Amino acid sequence: MEERLTIGKPDKDGFLAKLFSPQKRPIIATIVGEGGIGKTSLASYFPAPIFLRTEDGSQAIAGREDVAMFPLCKTVADVMQGLNEILSQPHPFKTLVIDSITQLSNMIESEIVAADPKAKSINQANGGYGAGYATLAAKHGEIRKLCGDINERRGMHVVFIAHAVTERVNPPDVSEYLRYSIRIHKDSIQHYSDNVDLVGFLKLKTYVTEGKASTTDERVLTCYPTPAHIGKNRFGIKQDLPFVEGQNPLGGIL
Ligand SMILES: Nc1ncnc2c1ncn2[C@@H]1O[C@H](COP(=O)(O)OP(=O)(O)OP(=O)(O)O)[C@@H](O)[C@H]1O
Ligand SMILES: [Mg+2]
C-alpha cells in the first residue's frame, strides 16, 4: 500500500521556514558616458552621497555642501581603505559613488605592471598570456564584492561612474556593428554590467528632422539595451529618462 506523506509545519530550521517576499533594496548602478556629459553631476543627486574619487573631476559640483568627498585616491590601497571605512565605520551617507571605475582600472593596471620587473605593459605582466588581465579582473571582482557588502550591510546605493568607448560587436545573426561600452578591459566589464541593477548610458538627446540629426543641450539617460550602447535595468524602464540639472533621473526608483 502507498505510504501517505503527513504534512505538518515546515521544519523550523529549514529554508521553507525562512521564506520572505522580495524586498526593495538600495540600487547598484553603473553610469556610462563620454567626457563632460554630466556623469559626476548625475551621481551627486543620489541621496546623501559620498564620492570615492580616482580622478579629479569635481568642478561641476564645487560648493555643494550636500556632497561629501574623500581626498583624491592616489593608489589602489587608498581605494580599498576608503571602501573598508565606508563598510565598517559610522557615517551618515546613503550613496557611495566611485568616480570613475575607468580611472580606477588604469590605476590597478599600472600597479600590476609596476609590481612585475619583467613587464613593460599589462600584456607582459605576471608571465603574459592574459595573466595580467586576469589579475586586473580579480581585483575588480574584489572591489565589486566589497561594494555589494556596502549595499547590503549598510543599506547604501552604489553608483559606478564609467567612461565610454566604442567597441565592435560581431553577433552570429546580423552583420558587425559598433556600439558604446564601458571603457575598461573586456574581462573586467562583467563586474559592472552583469552584476548590477542598472546600466545607464548618458548622452545628448538627438533629434532627427528632415533626415538630419541634431542635438541640443538636453541630456537623457538610456537604461535599456539598444544596439548603439550597453544598457539594462531591473525596474521595467523602457524609455529614455530626461536628465535636467538639479534632478536625479532615477529618483523614481530609489
Ligand atoms: N543635466 C545637465 N544639463 C546640462 N548641463 C549639464 C547637466 N549636468 C551637468 N551639466 C554640465 O556639464 C558639465 C560637465 O559635468 P560633469 O563634470 O558632471 O560631467 P562628467 O561626465 O562627469 O565629465 P568628465 O567626463 O570630465 O568627468 C558641467 O559644466 C555641468 O554643469
Ligand atoms: Mg566626472
Side-chain angles (χ1 to χ4, degrees):
M1 207 175 83
E2 193 185 318
E3 205 177 309
R4 296 292 295 266
L5 188 65
T6 328
I7 301 174
K9 284 193 166 169
D11 179 352
K12 72 176 175 19
D13 298 321
F15 285 153
L16 280 170
K18 295 178 189 144
L19 297 181
F20 55 90
S21 307
Q23 299 289 316
K24 196 173 168 183
R25 64 157 174 78
I27 72 164
I28 302 183
T30 302
I31 304 296
V32 193
E34 295 197 297
I37 194 71
K39 304 179 290 297
T40 300
S41 307
L42 192 156
S44 76
Y45 303 125
F46 271 72
I50 177 152
F51 275 68
L52 194 69
R53 294 171 305 147
T54 52
E55 60 182 59
D56 189 11
S58 52
Q59 291 83 347
I61 53 171
R64 289 267 307 277
E65 293 195 350
D66 55 328
V67 177
M69 299 205 155
F70 272 108
L72 190 62
C73 294
K74 300 242 165 60
T75 62
V76 179
D78 288 348
V79 173
M80 299 315 275
Q81 183 183 336
L83 293 175
N84 278 307
E85 286 188 20
I86 292 280
L87 179 62
S88 57
Q89 304 272 313
H91 62 71
F93 304 111
K94 296 203 168 70
T95 305
L96 164 68
V97 181
I98 301 191
D99 192 358
S100 68
I101 54 164
T102 303
Q103 189 50 33
L104 170 60
S105 202
N106 294 341
M107 211 183 244
I108 302 170
E109 266 190 39
S110 309
E111 291 189 14
I112 292 171
V113 177
D116 182 345
K118 291 201 207 102
K120 289 202 185 76
S121 75
I122 184 99
N123 292 313
Q124 300 166 344
N126 303 353
Y129 300 102
Y133 289 115
T135 310
L136 173 68
K139 193 72 197 176
H140 278 296
E142 193 188 325
I143 289 165
R144 172 62 188 79
K145 158 93 180 49
L146 207 44
C147 291
D149 289 347
I150 289 170
N151 170 259
E152 215 169 285
R153 289 169 36 198
R154 299 303 301 262
M156 291 175 75
H157 302 292
V158 177
V159 180
F160 300 112
I161 292 180
H163 291 270
V165 68
T166 47
E167 66 172 12
R168 251 168 225 296
V169 189
N170 250 319
D173 48 352
V174 290
S175 357
E176 181 183 90
Y177 61 91
L178 279 175
R179 72 161 183 181
Y180 283 111
S181 181
I182 298 173
R183 201 200 307 160
I184 57 174
H185 187 260
K186 61 178 174 45
D187 295 352
S188 297
I189 289 182
Q190 48 154 337
H191 297 298
Y192 307 103
S193 59
D194 300 2
N195 199 8
V196 300
D197 303 309
L198 180 143
V199 178
F201 190 82
L202 188 58
K203 62 185 181 188
L204 290 173
K205 187 169 177 176
T206 310
Y207 295 91
V208 181
T209 34
E210 291 166 7
K212 278 195 192 148
S214 57
T215 58
T216 63
D217 200 31
E218 286 171 73
R219 273 99 163 136
V220 288
L221 186 69
T222 309
C223 314
Y224 51 88
T226 82
H229 43 69
I230 189 167
K232 71 166 218 185
N233 74 85
R234 293 172 176 165
F235 308 99
I237 305 169
K238 297 188 178 88
Q239 281 174 351
D240 287 351
L241 305 171
F243 172 37
V244 180
E245 241 173 330
Q247 279 174 32
N248 187 344
L250 297 172
I253 58 161
L254 302 181

